[in-house]
Amino acid sequence: GTGSSILSALQDLFWLSKSKVEKQLQIISVLQWVLTFLIMGVACTLILMYILCTDCWAIAALYLAWLVFDWNTPKKGGRRSQWVRNWAIWRYFRDYFPIRLVKTHNLLTTRNYIFGYHPHGIMGLGAFCNFSTEATGVSQKFPGIRPYLATLAGNFRMPILRDYLMSGGICPVNRDSIDYILSKNGSGNAIIIVVGGAAESLNCTPGKNSVTLKNRKGFVRLALRHGADLVPVYSFGENEVFKQVIFEEGSWGRWVQKKFQKHIGFAPCIFHGRGLFSSNTWGLLPYSKPITTVVGEPITIPKIDNPSQREVDFYHSIYVDSLIKLFDKYKSKFGLPETEVLEVN
């Protein structure tokens, strides 16, 4: 009767309210990560310098002393925290898009791996969520495998930011760090390298599936030197979450981007997502488009201390073929037409 109708209406109102709260938590979780990506390093450096000029200078001095003592930790596998990787905020982060991790093959814990992650996108959202947090269950899907997401070494020179990154299992993408993890950290390690890097980010735009890979062979040489298996990874939807102004080759805008890339290690992109309060306005929040990261079949790599260029080229060609096959096999399952072709540059 009337009583049950009122109860039903109240229940509907309750669930609507809960849904809105969850959506706001999702937005907050993504916003904090975007701000971390863009400004945390610089902000923490400036705050530390300011504290040195105040009566609390001793706190900053103690941290700087610790920083000197701890300087090489990022090069030695870092200092991951399962507590941080399991924060609830990452589950809200995952559900905002949503982000999914798809396993296609088992990985042996007696081997080490280099995952080639494609494409870079603007911020590598799928790479972060899947491999630097437990939000999509990477440890359950690949038991015994320790993922290390590799990023710019310059990030680890920034106070506080370096510790935050290490807590998620993020390491510098340099030879010292990778050599240590693959040779002095036992087996069952997986280093995730966003192979296309800054150059690839300059071309990412919704509706485009292209990777910068033809002349990226350093990760193959590293795999051969350590006998680490190569695993192609493609993230469907990574390019859909931001819109970017693409500068043509030869333009002044592309010239500036390439100069930054060469001298600093990253390329400044002019991009936008949605606004904080409305999806119809421009802002720094990514659009809530699904991202599905597919981990392909591992390619067995022999250990060769000094691989020749011919050997590097051979295994690189196998890797490129495997990535294209992975893309073609799963593209229709995740919203792309059968006619879609992966562009390899």
Side-chain angles (χ1 to χ4, degrees), residues 123-187:
M123 295 184 181
L125 293 159
F128 171 79
C129 184
N130 285 307
F131 302 113
S132 293
T133 81
E134 293 297 332
T136 56
V138 63
S139 293
Q140 287 72 44
K141 291 177 180 177
F142 299 102
I145 301 297
R146 292 180 298 277
Y148 294 86
L149 177 60
T151 188
L152 290 175
N155 289 325
F156 296 89
R157 301 187 187 103
M158 301 283 191
I160 309 300
L161 176 63
R162 66 189 292 278
D163 302 287
Y164 190 41
L165 295 177
M166 283 194 292
S167 68
I170 301 177
C171 68
V173 62
N174 58 29
R175 182 168 173 174
D176 288 344
S177 177
I178 294 172
D179 282 348
Y180 183 91
I181 293 171
L182 294 180
S183 64
K184 298 179 181 179
N185 202 41
S187 60

Side-chain angles (χ1 to χ4, degrees), residues 132-263:
S132 293
T133 81
E134 293 297 332
T136 56
V138 63
S139 293
Q140 287 72 44
K141 291 177 180 177
F142 299 102
I145 301 297
R146 292 180 298 277
Y148 294 86
L149 177 60
T151 188
L152 290 175
N155 289 325
F156 296 89
R157 301 187 187 103
M158 301 283 191
I160 309 300
L161 176 63
R162 66 189 292 278
D163 302 287
Y164 190 41
L165 295 177
M166 283 194 292
S167 68
I170 301 177
C171 68
V173 62
N174 58 29
R175 182 168 173 174
D176 288 344
S177 177
I178 294 172
D179 282 348
Y180 183 91
I181 293 171
L182 294 180
S183 64
K184 298 179 181 179
N185 202 41
S187 60
N189 302 294
I191 297 180
I192 298 88
I193 300 177
V194 186
V195 178
E200 190 172 85
S201 69
L202 296 178
N203 295 314
C204 69
T205 188
K208 186 173 184 179
N209 288 282
S210 66
V211 296
T212 301
L213 183 56
K214 281 184 179 178
N215 296 316
R216 299 294 175 107
K217 300 180 180 181
F219 73 106
V220 178
R221 187 177 297 277
L222 281 169
L224 285 165
R225 288 181 61 244
H226 293 285
D229 293 349
L230 288 171
V231 182
V233 179
Y234 197 84
S235 212
F236 294 90
E238 185 71 62
N239 285 346
E240 308 299 316
V241 296
F242 284 109
K243 295 179 181 179
Q244 180 183 190
V245 177
I246 304 293
F247 293 102
E248 297 295 329
E249 290 292 339
S251 67
W252 68 269
R254 183 52 65 100
W255 179 84
V256 170
Q257 289 176 323
K258 287 188 173 181
K259 286 295 181 182
F260 266 83
Q261 179 189 337
K262 179 179 179 180
H263 297 292

Side-chain angles (χ1 to χ4, degrees), residues 104 232-234 236 294 296 322-330:
T104 63
V233 179
Y234 197 84
F236 294 90
V294 184
S322 296
L323 179 64
I324 293 172
K325 289 177 182 177
L326 179 70
F327 178 84
D328 289 340
K329 181 176 180 180
Y330 288 94

